[in-house]
Amino acid sequence: MRKWNFSAGPAAIPEPVLQEAQDEMLEWQGSGMSVMEMSHRSTDYIDIANKARQDFIDLLQIPSDYQVLFLQGGATLQFSMIPMNFGSNKIADYVLSGSWSKKAINEASKIMDINIITSSESSNFNHVPDADSWNCSEHAAYLHYVSNETIQGNALHTPPATKAPLIADMSSVILSEQIDVSKFSMIYAGAQKNIGPAGLTICIIKNDFLKTASTELPDMLQYSKHADADSMFNTPPTFSWYLSGKVFAWLKDQGGLATMGDINRLKARKLYDFIDQSGFYSNPISIENRSIMNIPFLLVNSELNSEFLHDAENAGLLNLKGHRSVGGMRASIYNATPIEAVDALINFMADFQSRHG
Ligand SMILES: Cc1ncc(COP(=O)(O)O)c(C=O)c1O
């Protein structure tokens, strides 16, 4: 029996996608083999890969002067590949708004000079400082920020206007709503939240910016090598790419990202409204920076945490434990988590409160 899975990642995948993959597991469309067994150079697989990439481009309305790369190494490898490719002998600006920004900063500072242009660390990352207050460098190679901090549950909903090329880690928010890709020089995201299974990382890079990338690095670390090889410089994560393609097709069937944005905002609003009026649960993030994907909440009495998690699991609500650095609970409500799951969570929370409030 499948249950409601609120995991932050790897996270829920739409059930119809899993069913289709199950139907095709032993043999993909008369090919005599599973997708997992195909050469990535075969015409069948190239068709699968190209369709997935095109659907992704269509969904995000990515302009034609961008490359879309399907890579490996997780979003974490991007924390170093970005400064390696774009940072030599330069300075880069970083926004420190949560745990993932911090990791990105730690990695980049091993490679280049960085300037932390703003930080909300002293207030436990309960907001993202307003872009007007950022202390940007005069000649930064780029400005990096994490548009949705998965652990703290904060988000910068509007891309900041910057002089420097803008780079965003969108691992936990990509495909959750329509965005204007043209505002960015680079966007990257690990797959295992809103894209598909783990093992794949998607990078969207503007051609102008890509031209400035280093060509001195080992080949696997050069974005331009991957772009020149259509992301087949070496064997790509074929199954993850294939399954992500099915998620993209599913998203198109749902009505695309404008529709998903409406649904996701509705899901988040329902949960935040319930938390705010409960007097029993609380969310610490400033209203304008609340994530629509990852919603942490605390119980009024933390001694009830284990009982809450235990009862939630019995009620079919999984993976609600908050990250150890924040405590409490966290509900991750990505695209594959339907409104019914959020309703079930709210009903459970109300019931738990009535038993313990
Ligand atoms: C915003 C963000 N950035 C980076 C990462 C790291 O991703 P990966 O594990 O794919 O390297 C995560 C993972 O949860 C994340 O949420």
Side-chain angles (χ1 to χ4, degrees):
M1 271 303 290
R2 288 177 60 76
K3 299 181 177 172
W4 297 129
N5 181 4
F6 296 94
S7 169
I13 289 180
E15 196 168 317
V17 167
L18 295 175
Q19 270 162 356
E20 264 186 45
Q22 183 180 40
D23 292 345
E24 293 173 353
M25 184 59 75
L26 288 183
E27 190 194 16
W28 183 82
Q29 299 190 6
S31 65
M33 66 186 80
S34 157
V35 170
M36 271 182 282
E37 301 166 304
M38 278 179 194
S39 162
H40 59 295
R41 309 273 177 214
S42 65
T43 46
D44 277 348
Y45 190 78
I46 301 271
D47 286 350
I48 291 171
N50 285 344
K51 176 166 187 323
R53 191 196 286 108
Q54 191 56 51
D55 281 347
F56 181 79
I57 289 169
D58 295 347
L59 282 166
L60 277 164
Q61 298 172 16
I62 299 174
S64 59
D65 58 336
Y66 283 75
Q67 299 290 322
V68 178
L69 307 181
F70 284 59
L71 306 179
Q72 298 180 66
T76 302
L77 183 60
Q78 301 310 307
F79 295 166
S80 355
M81 269 179 83
I82 289 166
M84 283 178 177
N85 276 268
F86 300 112
S88 65
N89 300 322
K90 294 186 191 138
I91 191 161
D93 286 351
Y94 276 77
V95 174
L96 175 51
S97 57
S99 304
W100 291 110
S101 323
K102 198 163 193 176
K103 291 205 168 171
I105 287 168
N106 283 343
E107 291 302 285
S109 57
K110 294 174 189 168
I111 295 160
M112 66 188 298
D113 287 335
I114 59 138
N115 179 16
I116 299 175
I117 55 172
T118 190
S119 169
S120 52
E121 190 167 21
S122 61
S123 51
N124 289 327
F125 303 119
N126 68 358
H127 69 292
V128 184
D130 200 78
D132 294 339
S133 69
W134 297 356
N135 193 12
C136 296
S137 311
E138 203 35 52
H139 299 292
Y142 59 84
L143 187 154
H144 179 280
Y145 77 111
V146 178
S147 59
N148 185 86
E149 282 284 0
T150 321
I151 292 174
Q152 282 76 21
N154 71 44
L156 192 60
H157 293 292
T158 317
T162 55
K163 225 167 73 181
L166 188 60
I167 301 184
D169 175 352
M170 293 202 184
S171 293
S172 47
V173 73
I174 194 148
L175 300 176
S176 65
E177 61 182 340
Q178 195 51 262
I179 53 163
D180 182 355
V181 172
S182 73
K183 297 260 192 298
F184 298 87
S185 288
M186 176 168 174
I187 293 168
Y188 64 97
Q192 66 275 17
K193 300 158 197 307
N194 237 357
I195 290 177
L200 175 71
T201 312
I202 301 188
C203 296
I204 307 166
I205 311 181
K206 194 170 187 174
N207 287 339
D208 281 358
F209 191 55
L210 184 60
K211 278 197 207 121
T212 69
S214 168
T215 50
E216 309 281 299
L217 299 166
D219 287 356
M220 261 306 269
L221 298 175
Q222 288 186 40
Y223 288 118
S224 40
K225 290 281 177 204
H226 292 287
D228 291 347
D230 266 347
S231 302
M232 302 262 183
F233 177 72
N234 71 329
T235 314
T238 51
F239 192 76
S240 186
W241 190 331
Y242 148 84
L243 208 89
S244 299
K246 290 202 176 296
V247 174
F248 306 151
W250 176 82
L251 283 171
K252 279 185 154 180
D253 283 349
Q254 305 307 297
L257 299 191
T259 307
M260 292 318 294
D262 289 343
I263 297 170
N264 286 324
R265 279 185 289 274
L266 175 65
K267 279 153 49 184
R269 195 168 58 241
K270 276 188 144 187
L271 189 47
Y272 283 120
D273 284 352
F274 173 75
I275 290 169
D276 289 344
Q277 61 73 43
S278 70
F280 185 81
Y281 305 99
S282 62
N283 169 280
I285 305 299
S286 67
I287 305 273
E288 65 280 11
N289 293 129
R290 284 176 162 185
S291 166
I292 61 167
M293 294 279 99
N294 309 100
I295 303 186
F297 57 91
L298 299 173
L299 274 60
V300 74
N301 174 2
S302 62
E303 281 172 13
L304 292 171
N305 283 358
S306 329
E307 190 176 340
F308 180 93
L309 289 167
H310 174 265
D311 291 0
E313 209 167 308
N314 283 343
L317 309 167
L318 305 183
N319 290 317
L320 284 163
K321 192 172 194 307
H323 191 271
R324 60 194 175 282
S325 61
V326 173
M329 310 298 151
R330 172 178 50 173
S332 295
I333 49 173
Y334 301 119
N335 285 335
T337 303
I339 201 135
E340 290 84 349
V342 175
D343 288 339
L345 174 59
I346 292 172
N347 287 340
F348 169 77
M349 289 166 73
D351 178 61
F352 188 85
Q353 178 175 357
S354 73
R355 287 187 282 122
H356 298 282

